[in-house]
Amino acid sequence: MTQTIFNNWKAEHSHLWGQIPVIQQHTLHQSSLFTDDALAELIENYPRADYSLVIPGRQDQDHHHKWREGDIGDASGAEVLKAIKEGFLWINLRNLPLNDPRYKQLTDRLFEEMQANVPGLKIKKSEMTLLVTSPGAQTYYHCDVPGQSLWHIRGRKKVYLYPALAPFLPEELLERVILQESEEEIPFEHWFDDHAQVLDLEPGTMVHWPQFAPHRVENHDSLCVSISTEYWTSEIERAYKVRYANGLLRRKFKIAPKSVDTTGATYLSKAILQSIWRRSGLAKKHIWSRKIEFELDPADPHNMLDITPFTLSPGNG
Ligand SMILES: [Fe+2]
């Protein structure tokens, strides 16, 4: 019998899923898909539009603007991994199920088990991203819109999870993230940590948190390999639509929304409003575009070669 991905599921987790952070044991760290050789091969052949190579923030730096994005250039997959292990970088590989059938199979299994374990969970759309990050790297305080889980596979990292409510995440700010007026990164106060749930993730541990819950991540002193998964359900879509409509009401119609209800007549009128707005052409179209400023030096993992910056966007990615 094939080994399951979740290997210590308890009945209580089915009730807690999506309500509070749920920590689970998993078996992905035993998979041959995440060895150095497998990762090197994957990175080497990955489509340009679907990876980001970034010099991230250090743990003593507060600001995202220090980030720089680069290109793997002529480096082999093994050289990219060496640069991440010995240097200060991260790479993420998006759309894994689309780009590699082995990860598609893994994603299908993972979400099948998740739905079997959580009665009523009906996933309409999902995604998996691989994250390979240097010792000491961090991901700044931010929130994600779909249902998110982080599956830790190699190394050790610390995850800080905060409640999905004000003052950690005021509704107005969430609306801005949903309307794509703001990046997912949001303002952070150091005292938020006094109220965070802090988890040390070891290989074989995953955590799933409530929708929109802000979080940040700090790597310990080791290369880290994780995957993040996200999914959309009808409930998650409704929570998205009501914030979208509330954001429109607040900004375009100068009406302060009073509710985030996802059922009833008020919700229905909000769902219609956001649908009309999004189809009308009035909605600001968010077209991604990223400035690429450096290239890896295959001869020296600590050296980044400055290049003439170019912009990566859907047309040329
Ligand atoms: Fe996130």
Side-chain angles (χ1 to χ4, degrees):
M1 188 181 142
T2 319
Q3 192 181 33
T4 57
I5 293 173
F6 289 106
N7 62 358
N8 190 27
W9 192 276
K10 297 192 175 87
E12 69 213 54
H13 298 143
S14 306
H15 301 292
L16 296 171
W17 192 258
Q19 305 300 313
I20 60 169
V22 171
I23 301 143
Q24 283 294 322
Q25 302 310 306
H26 67 80
T27 54
L28 297 186
H29 59 307
Q30 294 161 11
S31 162
S32 57
L33 291 176
F34 303 103
T35 61
D36 275 0
D37 287 348
L39 294 177
E41 189 201 331
L42 188 68
I43 291 168
E44 200 162 302
N45 298 301
Y46 217 68
R48 182 63 191 91
D50 281 345
Y51 82 78
S52 294
L53 180 73
V54 170
I55 300 174
R58 293 188 181 270
Q59 289 174 16
D60 57 357
Q61 284 177 352
D62 279 347
H63 298 295
H64 186 187
H65 68 262
K66 305 276 185 201
W67 285 22
R68 295 175 75 216
E69 185 161 346
D71 194 278
I72 64 176
D74 295 328
S76 66
E79 285 163 342
V80 175
L81 266 191
K82 185 175 162 68
I84 299 173
K85 257 183 207 171
E86 297 178 10
F88 197 73
L89 287 165
W90 54 250
I91 192 166
N92 72 19
L93 308 184
R94 297 177 293 274
N95 292 320
L96 270 178
L98 262 184
N99 287 317
D100 189 310
R102 296 168 303 167
Y103 292 87
K104 162 89 173 80
Q105 203 180 33
L106 182 71
T107 310
D108 289 347
R109 268 183 62 206
L110 183 154
F111 284 114
E112 264 167 39
E113 278 190 35
M114 199 183 274
Q115 290 178 109
N117 285 331
V118 183
L121 180 67
K122 290 205 169 40
I123 294 172
K124 298 166 83 170
K125 206 168 80 177
S126 65
E127 161 64 324
M128 178 187 276
T129 297
L130 178 73
L131 313 158
V132 185
T133 51
S134 288
Q138 71 165 320
T139 307
Y140 291 108
Y141 186 71
H142 69 282
C143 73
D144 301 295
V145 177
Q148 291 278 325
S149 305
L150 182 64
W151 307 71
H152 197 47
I153 294 167
R154 293 173 55 185
R156 288 178 62 236
K157 58 171 53 169
K158 194 187 280 276
V159 181
Y160 297 74
L161 293 165
Y162 307 80
L165 42 81
F168 307 100
L169 180 64
E171 276 296 319
E172 205 174 335
L173 201 57
L174 175 57
E175 292 160 13
R176 280 221 293 273
V177 171
I178 285 184
L179 289 172
Q180 298 186 321
E181 288 176 357
S182 151
E183 294 292 324
E184 288 166 347
E185 195 182 312
I186 49 181
F188 175 70
E189 301 287 344
H190 288 285
W191 60 263
F192 287 0
D193 281 351
D194 296 341
H195 309 277
Q197 183 169 350
V198 185
L199 308 169
D200 274 310
L201 292 190
E202 303 281 345
T205 315
M206 69 83 76
V207 57
H208 175 74
W209 50 82
Q211 188 184 12
F212 308 133
H215 50 281
R216 65 187 190 90
V217 182
E218 289 178 351
N219 282 3
H220 288 288
D221 204 14
S222 53
L223 172 90
C224 284
V225 178
S226 311
I227 58 172
S228 78
T229 55
E230 59 184 51
Y231 64 72
W232 289 86
T233 62
S234 298
E235 292 76 14
I236 285 174
E237 273 178 1
R238 285 202 294 270
Y240 166 86
K241 287 176 184 173
V242 76
R243 265 59 176 221
Y244 198 111
N246 283 354
L248 290 179
L249 290 172
R250 200 188 299 274
R251 284 158 188 73
K252 309 290 177 194
F253 302 95
K254 309 297 174 206
I255 298 169
K258 292 192 178 62
S259 124
V260 291
D261 289 349
T262 53
T263 54
T266 310
Y267 167 71
L268 276 180
S269 43
K270 287 180 181 176
I272 293 167
L273 169 69
Q274 64 84 36
S275 169
I276 292 172
W277 185 270
R278 287 164 64 196
R279 285 157 202 253
S280 68
L282 290 167
K284 197 176 99 182
K285 291 265 183 301
H286 183 80
I287 297 173
W288 62 265
S289 132
R290 306 194 309 268
K291 191 171 159 199
I292 310 299
E293 299 175 276
F294 71 87
E295 203 172 274
L296 282 189
D297 181 355
D300 179 359
H302 302 280
N303 191 30
M304 302 302 141
L305 304 168
D306 282 331
I307 56 171
T308 307
F310 66 93
T311 303
L312 205 58
S313 56
N316 65 3

